């Protein structure tokens, strides 16, 4: 079970990291989602893997650790909220820039005004 | 248990919740209530500062679960200082926002107060996972605040900021999982007890977790390889938000200071001083990056944003010295640089408003209406941030330089901080002489008139530099005591003895 679990976490994280390196917002969001799945599974495993364990006293012979479950629950909720916000934000970015490139455009914008424009009004 | 500890959390939380339900109330009423909430937070922060100054640790067990099982709030000198610094900065930035920034969106005041709420949890919490939650609270508020305002120029920098911080959060969770998996606790005081006693085979895992935490905090603090998101985001945010964000990088510094003195401090056995040999060189490189960015900045706001990065470098260099004098100097510098950077962001907005379409770009433009006042404030701010006498930046940098141990460390620190200060001076002289002196005749038609609240808030934050010089003796006494407290973790560990409060029926 440990090997299987580790492979799943590795695959999720690896695919997530690969997708986050993409230059368009949609793959980045999917990548972040996959990464957060991987992270949540990892966090869950920090309480040790076992089957049939329960976190309630008196309910079973072998107890599982309740804390990682609580942590994962918190992390999932926060992750959902953040992903939802990111989706809306990237939609807005798509609307504002007519482009779903993460930089808003394919080429880098010229930040500084050309020297002749900047110096012209001097007297 | 002292219930005052919850005041800096509950006041902005309830104030913010109230604002959510008041979107249809008259603007004046919303502003009054919001500012009153901010002011009350400052009052609570002052009370905490007074409480913490007796040098004891106060713990507040939330839900009456005694540590290490429940989440605790812990008040010590460092936490009180950070809460006070953030509250004062937030109050003046909030005051600035009533010029009109708050009209551009319905939830500005609510988001602003939730931001303060998140900051205060981060400073007061004594639990590593709760620190993660605090980061998320302040981040989600900061996402909203960063995007606040009209126009589309904030969308792309905002997107970068959100994506980077989400990656940071994922890494924080991995680090927390690694540390919990080995130690079985996330209470910071409990971790400080357990980490020195780890088995040899468990040490590498905790070490990996600890260093991963350093990366996360480094991202929040904007240390060199992780700092390039900051200038665009800060330079495009509306003025009160940019001013408040001056404290955001300091949350990362606070976390580094707390975790790496308490959990991985001198007493941590095999993991003693984990990461300290990384912090110092990274900090010096951050200063270099800040200097290069400042010299190349095209606008005042970008210039100040790079100055924030430079100040993070200077602060971390002082923390990386890893001695008591260095920590104390870092805290002294922290007060100085945070308020100044906030004030300068506000000032840059006032300047930009009086220059028409040119905005804050460092180019020739029509003369400003209120040039004398803005000019004096700019001169004060620039002098202080570059570290020239007689203002507070000079004394703060002097403390940092004095804290270095003779040898290679001293040579690197002195040369980079001093050359960095000189280059900062060049950058600000260039910006100031072009913006204030190289003007064309006439004024722009619609000058952003200076009203009392905006002048007061920008002036007060920049004027703090004078206040810090006047009060230098009590402040340095306080920072010395804070540093001594930080480098003696046994006091913090004593909060584990907090007992649950018995009710009458028990």
């Amino acid at each position: 079970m440990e090997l299987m679990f580790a492979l799943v976490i590795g695959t999720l994280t690896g695919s997530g990291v690969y997708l986050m390196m993409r230059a368009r917002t949609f793959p980045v969001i999917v990548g972040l989602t996959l990464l957060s799945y991987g992270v949540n599974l990892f966090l869950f495993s920090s309480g040790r893997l076992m089957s049939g364990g329960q976190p309630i006293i008196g309910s079973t012979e072998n107890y599982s650790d309740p804390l990682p479950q609580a942590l994962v629950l918190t992390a999932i909720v926060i992750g959902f909220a953040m992903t939802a916000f990111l989706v809306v934000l990237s939609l807005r970015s798509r609307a504002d820039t007519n482009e779903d490139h993460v930089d808003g455009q394919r080429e880098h914008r010229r930040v500084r005004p050309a020297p002749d424009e900047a110096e012209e009004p001097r007297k | 248990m002292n219930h005052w500890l919850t005041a800096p959390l509950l006041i902005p939380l309830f104030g913010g919740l109230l604002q959510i339900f008041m979107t249809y109330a008259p603007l004046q009423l919303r502003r009054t209530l919001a500012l009153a909430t901010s002011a009350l937070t400052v009052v609570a922060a002052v009370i905490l500062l007074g409480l913490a100054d007796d040098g004891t640790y106060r713990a507040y067990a939330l839900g009456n679960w005694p540590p290490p099982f429940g989440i605790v709030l812990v008040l010590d000198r460092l936490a009180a200082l950070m809460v006070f610094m953030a509250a004062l900065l937030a109050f003046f930035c909030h005051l600035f926002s009533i010029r009109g920034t708050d009209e551009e969106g319905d939830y500005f005041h609510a988001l602003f107060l939730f931001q303060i709420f998140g900051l205060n949890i981060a400073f007061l919490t004594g639990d590593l996972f709760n620190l993660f939650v605090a980061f998320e609270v302040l981040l989600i508020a900061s996402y909203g605040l960063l995007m606040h305002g009209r126009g589309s120029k904030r969308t792309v920098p905002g997107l970068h900021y959100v994506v980077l911080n989400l990656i940071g959060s994922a890494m924080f969770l991995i680090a927390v999982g690694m540390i919990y998996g080995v130690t079985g606790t996330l209470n910071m005081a409990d971790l400080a007890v357990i980490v020195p006693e780890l088995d040899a085979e468990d040490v590498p895992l905790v070490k990996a977790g600890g260093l991963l935490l350093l990366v996360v905090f480094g991202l929040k603090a904007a240390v060199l390889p992780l700092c390039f998101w900051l200038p665009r985001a800060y330079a495009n945010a509306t003025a009160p938000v940019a001013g408040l964000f001056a404290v955001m990088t300091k949350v990362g510094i606070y976390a580094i200071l707390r975790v790496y003195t308490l959990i991985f401090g001198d007493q941590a056995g095999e993991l003693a001083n984990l990461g300290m040999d990384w912090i110092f060189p990274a900090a010096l490189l951050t200063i270099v990056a800040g200097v290069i960015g400042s010299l190349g900045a095209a606008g005042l706001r970008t210039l100040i944003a790079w100055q924030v990065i430079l100040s993070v470098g200077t602060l971390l260099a002082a923390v990386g010295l890893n001695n008591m004098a260095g920590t104390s100097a870092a805290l002294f510098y922290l007060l100085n640089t945070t308020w100044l950077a906030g004030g300068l962001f506000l000032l840059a907005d006032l300047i930009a408003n009086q220059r028409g379409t040119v905005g804050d770009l460092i180019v020739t433009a029509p003369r400003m209406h209120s040039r004398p006042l803005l000019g004096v404030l700019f001169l004060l701010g620039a002098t202080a941030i570059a570290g020239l006498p007689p203002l507070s930046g000079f004394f703060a940098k002097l403390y940092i330089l004095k804290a270095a141990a003779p040898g290679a460390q001293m040579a690197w620190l002195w040369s980079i901080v001093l050359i960095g200060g000189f280059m900062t001076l060049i950058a600000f002289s260039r910006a100031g002489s072009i913006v204030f002196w190289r003007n064309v005749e006439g004024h722009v038609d619609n000058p952003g008139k200076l009203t009392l609240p905006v002048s007061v808030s920008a002036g007060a934050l920049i004027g703090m530099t004078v206040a810090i010089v006047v009060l230098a003796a009590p402040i340095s006494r306080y920072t010395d005591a804070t540093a001594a407290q930080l480098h003696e973790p046994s006091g913090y560990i004593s909060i584990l003895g907090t007992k649950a409060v018995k009710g009458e029926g028990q």
Side-chain angles (χ1 to χ4, degrees), chain B residues 99-142:
Chain B
R99 192 192 53 181
T101 318
D102 59 343
E103 291 170 50
E104 293 173 11
D106 283 343
Y107 296 104
F108 178 83
H109 290 301
L111 286 171
F112 203 94
L113 291 170
F114 288 145
Q115 173 85 70
I116 303 175
F117 171 57
L119 285 167
N120 288 346
I121 315 177
F123 295 144
L124 282 169
T125 186
D127 184 282
L128 213 49
F129 192 79
N130 200 230
L131 186 65
F132 164 77
V133 176
F135 275 8
E136 296 307 310
V137 172
L138 70 91
L139 282 176
I140 193 118
S142 77

Side-chain angles (χ1 to χ4, degrees), chain A residues 96 109, chain B residues 150-158 232 235-237 301:
Chain A
D96 281 350
R109 190 194 310 162
Chain B
R150 300 202 180 91
S152 59
K153 63 175 179 173
R154 297 180 190 90
T155 321
V156 172
R232 279 185 80 192
N236 286 311
R301 277 185 269 235

Side-chain angles (χ1 to χ4, degrees), chain B residues 33-56:
Chain B
L33 278 176
L35 277 177
T37 317
S38 267
L40 275 177
T41 316
V42 177
V43 173
V46 172
I47 292 173
L48 288 198
L49 207 55
L51 279 179
D53 199 27
D54 65 358
T56 56

Side-chain angles (χ1 to χ4, degrees), chain A residues 33-73:
Chain A
T33 316
L34 289 184
L35 179 69
S36 71
Y37 290 164
V39 168
N40 287 341
L41 284 179
F42 177 79
L43 204 52
F44 192 67
S45 71
S46 69
R48 303 294 180 270
L49 297 174
M50 60 166 67
S51 50
Q54 287 183 30
I56 300 166
I57 291 178
S59 63
T60 171
E61 284 293 294
N62 53 342
Y63 296 110
S64 63
D65 191 342
L67 198 77
Q69 304 183 9
L71 301 188
V72 169
L73 198 62

